[in-house]
Amino acid sequence: MEKLIITAAICGAEVLKEHNPAIPYTIEECVREAKSAYDAGASLIHLHVRWDDGTPTQDKNRFKAVMDAIWAEIPDVIIQPSTGGAVGMTDDERLQPTELNPEMATLDCGTLNFGGDEVFMNTENTIKYFAEKMIERNIKPELECFDKSMIDMALRLHKKGFIKSPMHFDFVMGVNGGIDGTLRDFMFLRGSIPSDSTYTVAGVGRYEFPLAVAAIIDGGHVRVGFEDNVYLSKGVLAKSNGELVEKVVRMAKEFGREIANPTEARKILGLAAK
Ligand code: KMH
Ligand code: ZN
């Protein structure tokens, strides 16, 4: 079986220090969290950024400052900026980090309810616009699918040439408004993607570790991190993103799955060597 790529979603846009005091806002805190995840075995950092007061931003210069500071500590790590940003941001605001020509970025493949009155908007035209920018800038999209319909959208856009093969999916499961995080639903998503594609699973909240096990034994890849879950186990807050990654590494070892370093992850994902 292919080595396991562990992605750490270290920050997110919604989770706050009130939920876990280790949530990073400042540049220094982002570096600390990225390094803890990398040292534990993550090869890829899914990145949102904040202003120092915790407000989420897609500001290009803030992304550049955080990415440069992370690379100064861990030069080979893959950094995948979010183009989802936070609910309510405009398309062009969200696209800003793609101007930095990162190797990868997320491409959200549909609209969903995001709790209360919040709606995370991704119309077909938005998705096409983002996908075109990513092709233009040679960025590999991580296709964020919060439901089965989003996989179908990605496949239609792939057929029309907006997304290139081999596709890489991220099943984000357990969001209030998206697909649940059960094993049955995991199998449904996993069975709905082309055989030459790769996938990562990001289980939200209590689904994080059960779905990590599912992907480990299935040959998929795993995303953990504060964006999705702040607990190491029931009622126990994780002290760092690194602790969450360490837990996945322990589980992978139990099942005989080796961990990919960034060079190996780039090969698996079809990214150029760095
Ligand atoms: N913060 C969510 C509204 C992404 O990173 O591409 C969107 C999100 C998806 O987190
Ligand atoms: Zn995200």
Side-chain angles (χ1 to χ4, degrees), residues 48-197:
H48 290 252
V49 298
R50 318 278 187 105
W51 297 116
D52 286 354
D53 67 0
T55 310
T57 177
Q58 289 292 103
D59 182 83
K60 184 173 111 179
N61 296 323
R62 183 67 167 185
F63 262 99
K64 185 169 177 359
V66 175
M67 289 164 74
D68 286 347
I70 292 173
W71 278 322
E73 285 292 318
I74 39 176
D76 63 340
V77 76
I78 304 166
I79 302 181
Q80 173 203 84
S82 168
T83 67
V87 169
M89 291 177 171
T90 65
D91 289 357
D92 286 322
E93 197 178 356
R94 285 168 51 185
L95 272 171
Q96 288 179 78
T98 65
E99 291 169 30
L100 302 170
N101 297 108
E103 298 166 90
M104 291 185 90
T106 53
L107 175 57
D108 294 277
C109 293
T111 294
L112 82 155
N113 283 334
F114 220 70
D117 286 328
E118 307 257 274
V119 179
F120 180 36
M121 288 288 289
N122 294 283
T123 65
E124 182 185 5
N125 286 345
T126 292
I127 304 165
K128 284 178 172 167
Y129 179 51
F130 281 39
E132 278 175 337
K133 288 282 178 219
M134 291 192 202
I135 286 183
E136 196 181 299
R137 294 172 181 161
N138 200 23
I139 299 167
K140 173 142 186 164
E142 177 161 297
L143 305 164
E144 293 231 348
C145 296
F146 296 76
D147 216 331
K148 161 72 161 57
S149 59
M150 300 193 193
I151 295 178
D152 298 331
M153 173 60 84
L155 296 179
R156 280 195 298 275
L157 295 186
H158 171 253
K159 245 190 203 156
K160 291 181 180 163
F162 288 93
I163 300 167
K164 288 188 194 162
S165 287
M167 291 187 277
H168 176 67
F169 292 85
D170 179 26
F171 307 146
V172 187
M173 303 183 68
V175 171
N176 176 20
I179 199 165
D180 202 3
T182 65
L183 214 47
R184 183 195 65 163
D185 290 337
F186 168 75
M187 292 309 293
F188 182 40
L189 299 189
R190 194 266 161 273
S192 303
I193 61 172
S195 54
D196 69 341
S197 53

